[in-house]
PDB file of all heavy atoms in Angstrom:
ATOM      1  N   VAL A 450     -19.978  -4.804  -4.150  1.00 88.00           N
ATOM      2  CA  VAL A 450     -18.950  -5.745  -4.627  1.00 88.00           C
ATOM      3  C   VAL A 450     -19.513  -7.143  -4.842  1.00 88.00           C
ATOM      4  O   VAL A 450     -18.884  -7.973  -5.507  1.00 88.00           O
ATOM      5  CB  VAL A 450     -17.748  -5.821  -3.650  1.00 88.00           C
ATOM      6  CG1 VAL A 450     -17.048  -4.482  -3.548  1.00 88.00           C
ATOM      7  CG2 VAL A 450     -18.188  -6.321  -2.274  1.00 88.00           C
ATOM      8  N   THR A 451     -20.699  -7.415  -4.296  1.00 88.00           N
ATOM      9  CA  THR A 451     -21.308  -8.730  -4.497  1.00 88.00           C
ATOM     10  C   THR A 451     -21.998  -8.834  -5.853  1.00 88.00           C
ATOM     11  O   THR A 451     -22.385  -9.935  -6.269  1.00 88.00           O
ATOM     12  CB  THR A 451     -22.346  -9.028  -3.393  1.00 88.00           C
ATOM     13  OG1 THR A 451     -23.410  -8.055  -3.453  1.00 88.00           O
ATOM     14  CG2 THR A 451     -21.689  -8.964  -2.014  1.00 88.00           C
ATOM     15  N   ILE A 452     -22.161  -7.697  -6.536  1.00 86.00           N
ATOM     16  CA  ILE A 452     -22.783  -7.698  -7.862  1.00 86.00           C
ATOM     17  C   ILE A 452     -21.702  -8.061  -8.881  1.00 86.00           C
ATOM     18  O   ILE A 452     -20.694  -7.358  -9.006  1.00 86.00           O
ATOM     19  CB  ILE A 452     -23.375  -6.320  -8.192  1.00 86.00           C
ATOM     20  CG1 ILE A 452     -24.411  -5.922  -7.130  1.00 86.00           C
ATOM     21  CG2 ILE A 452     -24.010  -6.334  -9.587  1.00 86.00           C
ATOM     22  CD1 ILE A 452     -24.960  -4.520  -7.306  1.00 86.00           C
ATOM     23  N   PRO A 453     -21.882  -9.154  -9.630  1.00 83.00           N
ATOM     24  CA  PRO A 453     -20.831  -9.655 -10.539  1.00 83.00           C
ATOM     25  C   PRO A 453     -20.280  -8.615 -11.515  1.00 83.00           C
ATOM     26  O   PRO A 453     -19.085  -8.566 -11.751  1.00 83.00           O
ATOM     27  CB  PRO A 453     -21.546 -10.796 -11.278  1.00 83.00           C
ATOM     28  CG  PRO A 453     -22.589 -11.266 -10.334  1.00 83.00           C
ATOM     29  CD  PRO A 453     -23.062 -10.034  -9.627  1.00 83.00           C
ATOM     30  N   MET A 454     -21.137  -7.788 -12.080  1.00 83.00           N
ATOM     31  CA  MET A 454     -20.671  -6.841 -13.095  1.00 83.00           C
ATOM     32  C   MET A 454     -19.856  -5.683 -12.503  1.00 83.00           C
ATOM     33  O   MET A 454     -19.238  -4.926 -13.236  1.00 83.00           O
ATOM     34  CB  MET A 454     -21.855  -6.289 -13.896  1.00 83.00           C
ATOM     35  CG  MET A 454     -22.835  -5.469 -13.075  1.00 83.00           C
ATOM     36  SD  MET A 454     -24.263  -4.902 -14.054  1.00 83.00           S
ATOM     37  CE  MET A 454     -23.456  -3.836 -15.238  1.00 83.00           C
ATOM     38  N   PHE A 455     -19.859  -5.553 -11.186  1.00 84.00           N
ATOM     39  CA  PHE A 455     -19.080  -4.489 -10.542  1.00 84.00           C
ATOM     40  C   PHE A 455     -17.877  -5.071  -9.789  1.00 84.00           C
ATOM     41  O   PHE A 455     -16.742  -4.828 -10.135  1.00 84.00           O
ATOM     42  CB  PHE A 455     -19.978  -3.679  -9.603  1.00 84.00           C
ATOM     43  CG  PHE A 455     -21.026  -2.889 -10.323  1.00 84.00           C
ATOM     44  CD1 PHE A 455     -22.349  -3.301 -10.321  1.00 84.00           C
ATOM     45  CD2 PHE A 455     -20.691  -1.738 -11.027  1.00 84.00           C
ATOM     46  CE1 PHE A 455     -23.325  -2.578 -11.005  1.00 84.00           C
ATOM     47  CE2 PHE A 455     -21.649  -1.010 -11.711  1.00 84.00           C
ATOM     48  CZ  PHE A 455     -22.971  -1.437 -11.706  1.00 84.00           C
ATOM     49  N   GLY A 456     -18.128  -5.866  -8.757  1.00 79.00           N
ATOM     50  CA  GLY A 456     -17.038  -6.518  -8.032  1.00 79.00           C
ATOM     51  C   GLY A 456     -16.124  -5.533  -7.322  1.00 79.00           C
ATOM     52  O   GLY A 456     -16.476  -4.384  -7.074  1.00 79.00           O
ATOM     53  N   LEU A 457     -14.918  -6.001  -7.015  1.00 82.00           N
ATOM     54  CA  LEU A 457     -13.937  -5.172  -6.333  1.00 82.00           C
ATOM     55  C   LEU A 457     -13.361  -4.128  -7.288  1.00 82.00           C
ATOM     56  O   LEU A 457     -13.198  -4.385  -8.471  1.00 82.00           O
ATOM     57  CB  LEU A 457     -12.804  -6.035  -5.771  1.00 82.00           C
ATOM     58  CG  LEU A 457     -13.175  -6.984  -4.623  1.00 82.00           C
ATOM     59  CD1 LEU A 457     -12.025  -7.947  -4.353  1.00 82.00           C
ATOM     60  CD2 LEU A 457     -13.503  -6.199  -3.359  1.00 82.00           C
ATOM     61  N   GLY A 458     -13.036  -2.965  -6.760  1.00 79.00           N
ATOM     62  CA  GLY A 458     -12.348  -1.960  -7.567  1.00 79.00           C
ATOM     63  C   GLY A 458     -13.155  -0.724  -7.881  1.00 79.00           C
ATOM     64  O   GLY A 458     -14.140  -0.402  -7.211  1.00 79.00           O
ATOM     65  N   ARG A 459     -12.743  -0.061  -8.956  1.00 84.00           N
ATOM     66  CA  ARG A 459     -13.261   1.274  -9.265  1.00 84.00           C
ATOM     67  C   ARG A 459     -14.730   1.308  -9.654  1.00 84.00           C
ATOM     68  O   ARG A 459     -15.428   2.270  -9.349  1.00 84.00           O
ATOM     69  CB  ARG A 459     -12.409   1.911 -10.355  1.00 84.00           C
ATOM     70  CG  ARG A 459     -12.894   3.273 -10.798  1.00 84.00           C
ATOM     71  CD  ARG A 459     -11.778   4.195 -11.207  1.00 84.00           C
ATOM     72  NE  ARG A 459     -10.911   4.569 -10.114  1.00 84.00           N
ATOM     73  CZ  ARG A 459     -10.066   5.591 -10.163  1.00 84.00           C
ATOM     74  NH1 ARG A 459      -9.963   6.323 -11.254  1.00 84.00           N
ATOM     75  NH2 ARG A 459      -9.293   5.871  -9.134  1.00 84.00           N
ATOM     76  N   LYS A 460     -15.233   0.292 -10.341  1.00 88.00           N
ATOM     77  CA  LYS A 460     -16.627   0.325 -10.783  1.00 88.00           C
ATOM     78  C   LYS A 460     -17.581   0.434  -9.595  1.00 88.00           C
ATOM     79  O   LYS A 460     -18.506   1.251  -9.596  1.00 88.00           O
ATOM     80  CB  LYS A 460     -16.959  -0.922 -11.609  1.00 88.00           C
ATOM     81  CG  LYS A 460     -16.326  -0.943 -12.992  1.00 88.00           C
ATOM     82  CD  LYS A 460     -16.753  -2.181 -13.764  1.00 88.00           C
ATOM     83  CE  LYS A 460     -16.131  -2.208 -15.152  1.00 88.00           C
ATOM     84  NZ  LYS A 460     -16.535  -3.432 -15.906  1.00 88.00           N
ATOM     85  N   SER A 461     -17.352  -0.378  -8.593  1.00 90.00           N
ATOM     86  CA  SER A 461     -18.203  -0.330  -7.399  1.00 90.00           C
ATOM     87  C   SER A 461     -18.030   0.987  -6.662  1.00 90.00           C
ATOM     88  O   SER A 461     -18.999   1.566  -6.151  1.00 90.00           O
ATOM     89  CB  SER A 461     -17.876  -1.496  -6.462  1.00 90.00           C
ATOM     90  OG  SER A 461     -18.234  -2.733  -7.042  1.00 90.00           O
ATOM     91  N   ALA A 462     -16.787   1.469  -6.601  1.00 91.00           N
ATOM     92  CA  ALA A 462     -16.515   2.740  -5.926  1.00 91.00           C
ATOM     93  C   ALA A 462     -17.241   3.890  -6.619  1.00 91.00           C
ATOM     94  O   ALA A 462     -17.873   4.727  -5.970  1.00 91.00           O
ATOM     95  CB  ALA A 462     -15.009   2.999  -5.902  1.00 91.00           C
ATOM     96  N   LEU A 463     -17.175   3.913  -7.950  1.00 93.00           N
ATOM     97  CA  LEU A 463     -17.845   4.967  -8.714  1.00 93.00           C
ATOM     98  C   LEU A 463     -19.361   4.926  -8.507  1.00 93.00           C
ATOM     99  O   LEU A 463     -19.991   5.967  -8.286  1.00 93.00           O
ATOM    100  CB  LEU A 463     -17.521   4.822 -10.201  1.00 93.00           C
ATOM    101  CG  LEU A 463     -16.294   5.576 -10.722  1.00 93.00           C
ATOM    102  CD1 LEU A 463     -16.070   5.225 -12.189  1.00 93.00           C
ATOM    103  CD2 LEU A 463     -16.452   7.072 -10.551  1.00 93.00           C
ATOM    104  N   LEU A 464     -19.941   3.728  -8.595  1.00 93.00           N
ATOM    105  CA  LEU A 464     -21.381   3.600  -8.444  1.00 93.00           C
ATOM    106  C   LEU A 464     -21.833   4.079  -7.065  1.00 93.00           C
ATOM    107  O   LEU A 464     -22.830   4.807  -6.945  1.00 93.00           O
ATOM    108  CB  LEU A 464     -21.814   2.151  -8.667  1.00 93.00           C
ATOM    109  CG  LEU A 464     -23.316   1.865  -8.505  1.00 93.00           C
ATOM    110  CD1 LEU A 464     -24.131   2.728  -9.452  1.00 93.00           C
ATOM    111  CD2 LEU A 464     -23.603   0.385  -8.736  1.00 93.00           C
ATOM    112  N   ALA A 465     -21.107   3.689  -6.034  1.00 93.00           N
ATOM    113  CA  ALA A 465     -21.464   4.096  -4.678  1.00 93.00           C
ATOM    114  C   ALA A 465     -21.401   5.615  -4.525  1.00 93.00           C
ATOM    115  O   ALA A 465     -22.315   6.242  -3.964  1.00 93.00           O
ATOM    116  CB  ALA A 465     -20.523   3.433  -3.664  1.00 93.00           C
ATOM    117  N   LEU A 466     -20.355   6.231  -5.034  1.00 95.00           N
ATOM    118  CA  LEU A 466     -20.195   7.679  -4.909  1.00 95.00           C
ATOM    119  C   LEU A 466     -21.268   8.432  -5.690  1.00 95.00           C
ATOM    120  O   LEU A 466     -21.770   9.466  -5.240  1.00 95.00           O
ATOM    121  CB  LEU A 466     -18.799   8.099  -5.382  1.00 95.00           C
ATOM    122  CG  LEU A 466     -17.639   7.595  -4.522  1.00 95.00           C
ATOM    123  CD1 LEU A 466     -16.307   7.958  -5.146  1.00 95.00           C
ATOM    124  CD2 LEU A 466     -17.723   8.161  -3.106  1.00 95.00           C
ATOM    125  N   VAL A 467     -21.628   7.902  -6.858  1.00 95.00           N
ATOM    126  CA  VAL A 467     -22.696   8.524  -7.657  1.00 95.00           C
ATOM    127  C   VAL A 467     -24.033   8.416  -6.928  1.00 95.00           C
ATOM    128  O   VAL A 467     -24.826   9.366  -6.916  1.00 95.00           O
ATOM    129  CB  VAL A 467     -22.780   7.876  -9.057  1.00 95.00           C
ATOM    130  CG1 VAL A 467     -24.041   8.334  -9.793  1.00 95.00           C
ATOM    131  CG2 VAL A 467     -21.546   8.243  -9.874  1.00 95.00           C
ATOM    132  N   LEU A 468     -24.285   7.281  -6.297  1.00 94.00           N
ATOM    133  CA  LEU A 468     -25.530   7.110  -5.541  1.00 94.00           C
ATOM    134  C   LEU A 468     -25.582   8.050  -4.341  1.00 94.00           C
ATOM    135  O   LEU A 468     -26.644   8.611  -4.032  1.00 94.00           O
ATOM    136  CB  LEU A 468     -25.666   5.657  -5.082  1.00 94.00           C
ATOM    137  CG  LEU A 468     -25.975   4.633  -6.178  1.00 94.00           C
ATOM    138  CD1 LEU A 468     -25.959   3.218  -5.606  1.00 94.00           C
ATOM    139  CD2 LEU A 468     -27.320   4.923  -6.831  1.00 94.00           C
ATOM    140  N   TYR A 469     -24.457   8.230  -3.658  1.00 94.00           N
ATOM    141  CA  TYR A 469     -24.429   9.143  -2.511  1.00 94.00           C
ATOM    142  C   TYR A 469     -24.624  10.599  -2.949  1.00 94.00           C
ATOM    143  O   TYR A 469     -25.157  11.418  -2.200  1.00 94.00           O
ATOM    144  CB  TYR A 469     -23.116   9.007  -1.740  1.00 94.00           C
ATOM    145  CG  TYR A 469     -23.104   7.855  -0.770  1.00 94.00           C
ATOM    146  CD1 TYR A 469     -22.170   6.842  -0.856  1.00 94.00           C
ATOM    147  CD2 TYR A 469     -24.050   7.778   0.251  1.00 94.00           C
ATOM    148  CE1 TYR A 469     -22.169   5.770   0.024  1.00 94.00           C
ATOM    149  CE2 TYR A 469     -24.065   6.720   1.142  1.00 94.00           C
ATOM    150  CZ  TYR A 469     -23.114   5.720   1.026  1.00 94.00           C
ATOM    151  OH  TYR A 469     -23.133   4.668   1.912  1.00 94.00           O
ATOM    152  N   ALA A 470     -24.183  10.926  -4.164  1.00 94.00           N
ATOM    153  CA  ALA A 470     -24.330  12.299  -4.665  1.00 94.00           C
ATOM    154  C   ALA A 470     -25.765  12.598  -5.079  1.00 94.00           C
ATOM    155  O   ALA A 470     -26.122  13.765  -5.291  1.00 94.00           O
ATOM    156  CB  ALA A 470     -23.391  12.513  -5.850  1.00 94.00           C
ATOM    157  N   MET A 471     -26.579  11.564  -5.194  1.00 94.00           N
ATOM    158  CA  MET A 471     -27.961  11.736  -5.639  1.00 94.00           C
ATOM    159  C   MET A 471     -28.734  12.712  -4.754  1.00 94.00           C
ATOM    160  O   MET A 471     -29.393  13.634  -5.244  1.00 94.00           O
ATOM    161  CB  MET A 471     -28.654  10.367  -5.650  1.00 94.00           C
ATOM    162  CG  MET A 471     -30.100  10.387  -6.103  1.00 94.00           C
ATOM    163  SD  MET A 471     -30.795   8.704  -6.018  1.00 94.00           S
ATOM    164  CE  MET A 471     -32.452   8.976  -6.636  1.00 94.00           C
ATOM    165  N   MET A 472     -28.668  12.519  -3.442  1.00 94.00           N
ATOM    166  CA  MET A 472     -29.464  13.339  -2.531  1.00 94.00           C
ATOM    167  C   MET A 472     -29.073  14.817  -2.543  1.00 94.00           C
ATOM    168  O   MET A 472     -29.916  15.685  -2.781  1.00 94.00           O
ATOM    169  CB  MET A 472     -29.403  12.772  -1.107  1.00 94.00           C
ATOM    170  CG  MET A 472     -30.469  13.343  -0.176  1.00 94.00           C
ATOM    171  SD  MET A 472     -30.043  14.951   0.519  1.00 94.00           S
ATOM    172  CE  MET A 472     -28.799  14.464   1.714  1.00 94.00           C
ATOM    173  N   PRO A 473     -27.791  15.172  -2.303  1.00 94.00           N
ATOM    174  CA  PRO A 473     -27.465  16.608  -2.272  1.00 94.00           C
ATOM    175  C   PRO A 473     -27.661  17.318  -3.598  1.00 94.00           C
ATOM    176  O   PRO A 473     -28.076  18.482  -3.622  1.00 94.00           O
ATOM    177  CB  PRO A 473     -25.990  16.623  -1.834  1.00 94.00           C
ATOM    178  CG  PRO A 473     -25.464  15.260  -2.130  1.00 94.00           C
ATOM    179  CD  PRO A 473     -26.625  14.340  -1.966  1.00 94.00           C
ATOM    180  N   LEU A 474     -27.381  16.641  -4.716  1.00 95.00           N
ATOM    181  CA  LEU A 474     -27.520  17.298  -6.017  1.00 95.00           C
ATOM    182  C   LEU A 474     -28.988  17.475  -6.409  1.00 95.00           C
ATOM    183  O   LEU A 474     -29.402  18.571  -6.801  1.00 95.00           O
ATOM    184  CB  LEU A 474     -26.773  16.507  -7.095  1.00 95.00           C
ATOM    185  CG  LEU A 474     -25.248  16.675  -7.104  1.00 95.00           C
ATOM    186  CD1 LEU A 474     -24.634  15.828  -8.209  1.00 95.00           C
ATOM    187  CD2 LEU A 474     -24.857  18.136  -7.291  1.00 95.00           C
ATOM    188  N   ILE A 475     -29.771  16.399  -6.320  1.00 95.00           N
ATOM    189  CA  ILE A 475     -31.185  16.520  -6.677  1.00 95.00           C
ATOM    190  C   ILE A 475     -31.891  17.506  -5.746  1.00 95.00           C
ATOM    191  O   ILE A 475     -32.682  18.349  -6.193  1.00 95.00           O
ATOM    192  CB  ILE A 475     -31.883  15.144  -6.629  1.00 95.00           C
ATOM    193  CG1 ILE A 475     -31.390  14.257  -7.772  1.00 95.00           C
ATOM    194  CG2 ILE A 475     -33.400  15.302  -6.723  1.00 95.00           C
ATOM    195  CD1 ILE A 475     -32.047  12.889  -7.827  1.00 95.00           C
ATOM    196  N   ARG A 476     -31.611  17.408  -4.468  1.00 93.00           N
ATOM    197  CA  ARG A 476     -32.249  18.304  -3.502  1.00 93.00           C
ATOM    198  C   ARG A 476     -31.912  19.764  -3.774  1.00 93.00           C
ATOM    199  O   ARG A 476     -32.793  20.632  -3.743  1.00 93.00           O
ATOM    200  CB  ARG A 476     -31.816  17.917  -2.084  1.00 93.00           C
ATOM    201  CG  ARG A 476     -32.212  18.901  -0.985  1.00 93.00           C
ATOM    202  CD  ARG A 476     -33.700  19.002  -0.802  1.00 93.00           C
ATOM    203  NE  ARG A 476     -34.265  17.806  -0.210  1.00 93.00           N
ATOM    204  CZ  ARG A 476     -35.571  17.646   0.030  1.00 93.00           C
ATOM    205  NH1 ARG A 476     -36.421  18.596  -0.307  1.00 93.00           N
ATOM    206  NH2 ARG A 476     -36.018  16.522   0.564  1.00 93.00           N
ATOM    207  N   SER A 477     -30.649  20.047  -4.051  1.00 93.00           N
ATOM    208  CA  SER A 477     -30.248  21.440  -4.276  1.00 93.00           C
ATOM    209  C   SER A 477     -30.840  22.000  -5.566  1.00 93.00           C
ATOM    210  O   SER A 477     -31.282  23.150  -5.613  1.00 93.00           O
ATOM    211  CB  SER A 477     -28.725  21.563  -4.295  1.00 93.00           C
ATOM    212  OG  SER A 477     -28.157  20.813  -5.357  1.00 93.00           O
ATOM    213  N   VAL A 478     -30.862  21.176  -6.632  1.00 93.00           N
ATOM    214  CA  VAL A 478     -31.450  21.627  -7.894  1.00 93.00           C
ATOM    215  C   VAL A 478     -32.946  21.854  -7.730  1.00 93.00           C
ATOM    216  O   VAL A 478     -33.484  22.885  -8.159  1.00 93.00           O
ATOM    217  CB  VAL A 478     -31.175  20.602  -9.025  1.00 93.00           C
ATOM    218  CG1 VAL A 478     -31.951  20.982 -10.286  1.00 93.00           C
ATOM    219  CG2 VAL A 478     -29.688  20.526  -9.321  1.00 93.00           C
ATOM    220  N   TYR A 479     -33.603  20.897  -7.113  1.00 93.00           N
ATOM    221  CA  TYR A 479     -35.061  21.008  -6.908  1.00 93.00           C
ATOM    222  C   TYR A 479     -35.406  22.227  -6.045  1.00 93.00           C
ATOM    223  O   TYR A 479     -36.269  23.030  -6.411  1.00 93.00           O
ATOM    224  CB  TYR A 479     -35.570  19.727  -6.260  1.00 93.00           C
ATOM    225  CG  TYR A 479     -37.058  19.728  -5.976  1.00 93.00           C
ATOM    226  CD1 TYR A 479     -37.977  19.470  -6.998  1.00 93.00           C
ATOM    227  CD2 TYR A 479     -37.540  19.981  -4.697  1.00 93.00           C
ATOM    228  CE1 TYR A 479     -39.339  19.477  -6.741  1.00 93.00           C
ATOM    229  CE2 TYR A 479     -38.899  19.989  -4.432  1.00 93.00           C
ATOM    230  CZ  TYR A 479     -39.795  19.731  -5.452  1.00 93.00           C
ATOM    231  OH  TYR A 479     -41.147  19.749  -5.204  1.00 93.00           O
ATOM    232  N   ASP A 480     -34.732  22.355  -4.910  1.00 91.00           N
ATOM    233  CA  ASP A 480     -35.013  23.485  -4.016  1.00 91.00           C
ATOM    234  C   ASP A 480     -34.637  24.821  -4.654  1.00 91.00           C
ATOM    235  O   ASP A 480     -35.335  25.822  -4.477  1.00 91.00           O
ATOM    236  CB  ASP A 480     -34.246  23.321  -2.695  1.00 91.00           C
ATOM    237  CG  ASP A 480     -34.833  22.219  -1.824  1.00 91.00           C
ATOM    238  OD1 ASP A 480     -35.963  21.768  -2.118  1.00 91.00           O
ATOM    239  OD2 ASP A 480     -34.170  21.812  -0.854  1.00 91.00           O
ATOM    240  N   GLY A 481     -33.516  24.831  -5.385  1.00 89.00           N
ATOM    241  CA  GLY A 481     -33.085  26.067  -6.017  1.00 89.00           C
ATOM    242  C   GLY A 481     -34.100  26.600  -7.005  1.00 89.00           C
ATOM    243  O   GLY A 481     -34.418  27.804  -7.013  1.00 89.00           O
ATOM    244  N   VAL A 482     -34.636  25.711  -7.824  1.00 88.00           N
ATOM    245  CA  VAL A 482     -35.630  26.125  -8.828  1.00 88.00           C
ATOM    246  C   VAL A 482     -36.968  26.444  -8.167  1.00 88.00           C
ATOM    247  O   VAL A 482     -37.629  27.428  -8.509  1.00 88.00           O
ATOM    248  CB  VAL A 482     -35.800  25.019  -9.894  1.00 88.00           C
ATOM    249  CG1 VAL A 482     -36.976  25.336 -10.820  1.00 88.00           C
ATOM    250  CG2 VAL A 482     -34.518  24.866 -10.701  1.00 88.00           C
ATOM    251  N   LYS A 483     -37.372  25.620  -7.202  1.00 86.00           N
ATOM    252  CA  LYS A 483     -38.667  25.809  -6.552  1.00 86.00           C
ATOM    253  C   LYS A 483     -38.725  27.075  -5.702  1.00 86.00           C
ATOM    254  O   LYS A 483     -39.818  27.614  -5.460  1.00 86.00           O
ATOM    255  CB  LYS A 483     -38.987  24.596  -5.677  1.00 86.00           C
ATOM    256  CG  LYS A 483     -39.516  23.390  -6.449  1.00 86.00           C
ATOM    257  CD  LYS A 483     -40.878  23.705  -7.059  1.00 86.00           C
ATOM    258  CE  LYS A 483     -41.518  22.488  -7.702  1.00 86.00           C
ATOM    259  NZ  LYS A 483     -42.863  22.783  -8.237  1.00 86.00           N
ATOM    260  N   ASN A 484     -37.584  27.553  -5.236  1.00 84.00           N
ATOM    261  CA  ASN A 484     -37.562  28.742  -4.384  1.00 84.00           C
ATOM    262  C   ASN A 484     -37.588  30.054  -5.162  1.00 84.00           C
ATOM    263  O   ASN A 484     -37.613  31.118  -4.567  1.00 84.00           O
ATOM    264  CB  ASN A 484     -36.320  28.719  -3.472  1.00 84.00           C
ATOM    265  CG  ASN A 484     -36.500  27.768  -2.298  1.00 84.00           C
ATOM    266  OD1 ASN A 484     -37.617  27.487  -1.884  1.00 84.00           O
ATOM    267  ND2 ASN A 484     -35.399  27.259  -1.771  1.00 84.00           N
TER     268      ASN A 484
END
Side-chain angles (χ1 to χ4, degrees):
V450 297
T451 62
I452 302 175
M454 64 183 296
F455 293 105
L457 292 169
R459 177 147 294 196
K460 288 182 180 179
S461 293
L463 269 176
L464 179 58
L466 294 175
V467 170
L468 289 175
Y469 278 121
M471 180 182 182
M472 195 279 286
L474 283 179
I475 290 181
R476 170 65 71 181
S477 62
V478 172
Y479 179 80
D480 288 347
V482 171
K483 281 294 187 177
N484 282 335

